[in-house]
Amino acid sequence: MPQMLTDRTALVTGGGVGIGASIALALATAGARVAVTYRTHAPDDEVLAALEAASGQAPVAVAVDATDESEVRRAVDIVAGELGGLDVLVNNIGGLVQRARLEELDLALWRRIMTVNLDSTFLFTHHVLPHLREQSGRVINLASLAGHTGGHPGALAYATSKAAIVGFTRALAKELAPRGITVNALAPGFIEATPFHDTFTTDDSKAETITTIPAGRAGVPEDVAGAALWLASDLASYVTGTVVDINGGQYFR
C-alpha cells in the first residue's frame, strides 16, 4: 500500500476490533501514526502489534466512555498530546445496543442508543476540532445502510441515529470547508466479522441477507477500511459532505 499518509496522525474511536481496527490498520499501513479508543472491546496484543509493525511506531490506545463528555475531553487531550495534533478523526463508535420495536422502545433505551451513536460522534468531533490541522483535516463518520433503509426489525432507534449522522456530516462539511477540513461519512451494509452482527444477527438472517446482495457476498471490515483510507488521503481533498455506500450493490441512490 502506498504511503499516502506519511507524517499524518489519526484517531479512530472504537478502534479495538472489527471495522475500527481494520481502519486503524489501513491508516497505519499508509504511514499515519494512529491512536485508538475503546471501552468494551480493548485492542488485543495482535492488533497492537500489527499497528506498530505497519507504522513503525507504537500505537496509542485510550480507554474511554464515549458518552461522558469529561472522559472524551480527557481522551482527546491524551491523544493530541501524544501525537502532537491530529489530521484525521474517524468516528467509529456505535452500536445497535438492543433490538426493540416502537411498542417495546421506552425513552431510556431510545436515549441510550442515541447517546452511543450520535452523542459520541458529536463529542469527539467537538473536542478534536481545536487539535485538527486546517487544510489537511479529515473527519470521517460511520453511518450505516440502516440510516437509508430503516434496517431490520427492531432497529428503529439505531436507524434514526445513523440517519442523523448523515445530516450531521453534511452540515459540518459546510461549516468546516472554508478551513480546508473535509467531513464525510461511510455507510456500511452487511459487514461480517464484527461484534454487531456476531451479537444481533442470526446465521439464518445472515444467509438470507447475502441473497439480496448483488455482489454475492457479505462485506468484510477491510472493505470499509479501503474507503476510509481514500477519504483520509489527499486523493479525496475535494470530497466533502459525501456519504460513501459500502454494500456490494445492495443499495445505492
Side-chain angles (χ1 to χ4, degrees), residues 24 36 49 64 74 78 120 151 174:
V36 299
V64 63
R74 174 191 60 84
I78 290 171
S120 66
K174 291 183 177 181

Side-chain angles (χ1 to χ4, degrees), residues 85-126:
L86 282 164
D87 296 289
V88 181
L89 168 64
V90 181
N91 283 307
N92 173 67
I93 288 172
L96 183 63
V97 181
Q98 178 182 325
R99 287 198 185 277
R101 295 173 182 265
L102 181 60
E103 60 269 24
E104 306 159 337
L105 184 63
D106 61 23
L107 184 59
L109 179 57
W110 171 271
R111 286 178 172 166
R112 183 182 172 200
I113 295 169
M114 291 296 164
T115 299
V116 167
N117 291 295
L118 189 56
D119 290 1
S120 66
T121 296
F122 162 75
L123 286 172
F124 267 99
T125 307
H126 179 74

Side-chain angles (χ1 to χ4, degrees), residues 48-72:
L48 293 174
L51 289 173
E52 184 167 2
S55 68
Q57 302 178 80
V60 178
V62 182
V64 63
D65 177 353
T67 68
D68 183 320
E69 183 170 18
S70 63
E71 287 205 25
V72 171

